[in-house]
Amino acid sequence: MVSSDGRPYQEETMRVAVIENMRNTGLGSLAAALDEAGAEIEWFRVWQDGILPLDISGHDALVVLGGEQSALDDETHPYLPELARLTRRFGDAGKAVLGICLGSQILARAYGADNHLGIAREFGWHRIGVTAEGRADPLLSALGGEFTIFEWHADTFSLPEGAVRLASSPVAENQAFRIGRAVYGTQFHFEANLDVVEQWKAEFPDTIARIAPGWLEKHAELAARHGGAADAAGLAIARAWVSLIEREEVEMLSQASA
């Protein structure tokens, strides 16, 4: 590729900032898609130190993962307001942004929507309906009218002004939305493939037993029934979002001008 004056450009490695709101969250299917694209991932483990990217210039895209806190827990997680502002800055700059579960709730907050706490509990593999807009959207267009995916949340949010609803369920109307070109929020955990779910099962058995009695005992059967379809859908969504990341290009100086 060359610039307007004929000098070559060098396409840089795709740089993606990942915000981990809770220890050992896991990227699952998204990791596979980013690896396929040769992306360079920089982790920001805010659960540990509260440190966020200084600005948006160092990354081509931003991913905000899930967590046990709510999007409004500023007192116990004081980095949340700045994280919301950061997602908005990435989005306003036209960069790809992805919020998963808590991440989608933070995105909704960033764009002026309301967070509704504790009124929309879903756990396990569920069917998600794709809206007419979703069927025409790059993120979900390969999935048809509905798909199976993993859920783990109790909170939800109103649709931000100007956002397009892409997917819905009876419990949470706003399962996926898009703002602008490539700002996406998904309430469901499309990244949670069978390996990630197995990890969560091992790490959080007491929590799962409390919120979904009997699920641990039925896990093997449920995984066999739904895991394959969910993994395929999750990988399709991950690849679709990664394909929307626009890499910056830097002009290569010639040997003579170096």
Side-chain angles (χ1 to χ4, degrees), residues 20-256:
E20 188 181 47
N21 290 290
M22 184 176 177
R23 183 176 182 174
N24 295 332
T25 306
L27 283 176
S29 297
L30 186 56
L34 288 169
D35 184 64
E36 290 172 354
E40 177 184 299
I41 300 172
E42 184 175 1
W43 287 85
F44 292 85
R45 294 184 167 89
V46 290
W47 58 268
Q48 186 175 50
D49 54 24
I51 296 175
L52 292 164
L54 294 176
D55 55 43
I56 68 171
S57 63
H59 302 91
D60 303 305
L62 176 69
V63 176
V64 183
L65 298 175
E68 60 188 347
Q69 64 270 44
S70 84
L72 303 179
D73 277 339
D74 297 355
E75 184 173 342
T76 54
H77 299 78
Y79 67 87
L80 283 171
E82 178 56 30
L83 176 55
R85 289 189 289 268
L86 183 70
T87 63
R88 184 70 181 258
R89 290 201 297 273
F90 266 85
D92 288 350
K95 297 192 176 192
V97 181
L98 175 64
I100 301 174
C101 197
L102 171 63
S104 71
Q105 297 157 12
I106 293 170
L107 264 182
R109 171 182 176 175
Y111 282 87
D114 296 321
N115 291 103
H116 304 299
L117 308 184
I119 67 168
R121 185 174 297 281
E122 291 179 292
F123 180 84
W125 287 281
H126 289 268
R127 299 290 287 176
I128 301 296
V130 182
T131 66
E133 294 80 4
R135 289 192 288 274
D137 190 273
L139 192 75
L140 303 180
S141 60
L143 301 179
E146 62 178 9
F147 58 94
T148 297
I149 212 74
F150 201 83
E151 299 266 19
W152 190 346
H153 66 95
D155 300 342
T156 187
F157 49 85
S158 62
L159 192 68
E161 184 177 354
V164 179
R165 182 183 294 112
L166 306 178
S168 187
S169 78
V171 174
E173 183 179 26
N174 298 315
Q175 285 285 349
F177 66 89
R178 188 195 77 246
I179 297 172
R181 183 189 71 85
V183 176
Y184 285 92
T186 69
Q187 182 60 76
F188 51 81
H189 283 280
F190 73 85
E191 87 289 4
N193 55 21
L194 283 167
D195 289 341
V196 170
V197 174
E198 184 68 34
Q199 176 187 336
W200 290 349
K201 171 178 170 286
E203 290 191 10
F204 311 111
D206 294 341
T207 301
I208 293 172
R210 176 174 53 82
I211 65 174
W215 187 89
L216 291 170
E217 292 74 17
K218 295 186 292 184
H219 167 257
E221 174 192 347
L222 293 169
R225 186 188 310 166
H226 302 298
D231 282 12
L235 186 56
I237 294 169
R239 286 169 169 165
W241 182 76
V242 170
S243 74
L244 297 172
I245 300 173
E246 294 182 344
R247 280 176 274 198
E248 292 183 2
E249 294 164 342
V250 292
E251 192 173 316
M252 295 174 62
L253 299 178
S254 66
Q255 290 285 343

